[in-house]
Amino acid sequence: MIHFQGVSKIYDTKSKALDNVTFKIDDHEFISFVGKSGAGKSTVVKMLIGEEAPTRGRVILNNIDVAKLPRTQLPLLRRKIGVIFQDYRLLPHKTVFENVAFALEVNGRTEREIREFVPQAIELVGLKEHAARFPHELSGGEKQRAAIARALIHHPDVLIADEPTGNLDAINTWEVIKLLVKINELGTTVILATHDKDVINTLGKRVVTLDNGRVIRDEADGKYIIA
Ligand SMILES: Nc1ncnc2c1ncn2[C@@H]1O[C@H](COP(=O)(O)OP(=O)(O)O)[C@@H](O)[C@H]1O
Ligand SMILES: [Mg+2]
């Protein structure tokens, strides 16, 4: 379970990026954060992965206060939470297989584990035929699916997607969203941050609307209504 308790974030003294934000996310939920650019979506994401600390309030993940985690424990947290971004962040000189495998290698996993787990993750995202390709040989949608395979390699409890379809056309957008829904149905909590109205209005899932750092709406089966 994730619990934001009265969280505020001030990057500089001028304005609040988040202003007294409170919400709970249950295990296995699919939840979207929507709002205009600058509304605070990425700040929510950064706090969940311990990249930024709240100025006020608490971010609780499975009964742990994320801001109080010693920095040495952060890699452990990152294995429980997979993250994907708008710009994919694949290593350009590694193939799809190598990109996914690298996430295991840096954790000291064995060659045998890599040979077992990497093909499973690549198969799940539908990139079996493209495992030997380099990022520049993939479409945007395929690159994002490769990033998703990498994010899932540690079997995280939570997958966070920050504007995952921001660089994709309508068809690729839909493929990525369908994949997120499938991953959620397999048991992973999915947190989506987006300003894509069409995606939200076809999902039919919980929507939290942020405006100027405040939660102005939180509805099951919500819609994207411009603040
Ligand atoms: N590192 C930072 N330093 C200063 N201000 C920041 C920083 N990151 C974000 N902000 C500001 O915080 C607000 C929320 O930003 P962000 O969370 O990135 O919103 P969103 O993802 O919804 O576009 C914006 O006003 C933005 O300019
Ligand atoms: Mg953002």
Side-chain angles (χ1 to χ4, degrees), residues 41-42 162-163:
K41 306 178 295 293
S42 294
D162 192 358
E163 303 281 5

Side-chain angles (χ1 to χ4, degrees), residues 127-138:
L127 284 182
K128 209 171 147 189
E129 314 299 320
H130 294 348
R133 290 202 190 179
F134 291 93
H136 76 268
E137 299 171 314
L138 300 173

Side-chain angles (χ1 to χ4, degrees), residues 42-67:
S42 294
T43 300
V44 167
V45 169
K46 284 176 189 159
M47 286 188 183
L48 281 169
I49 60 177
E51 201 178 301
E52 292 285 352
T55 308
R56 217 168 295 121
R58 296 200 298 170
V59 175
I60 309 291
L61 178 94
N62 296 339
N63 296 318
I64 295 164
D65 187 331
V66 175

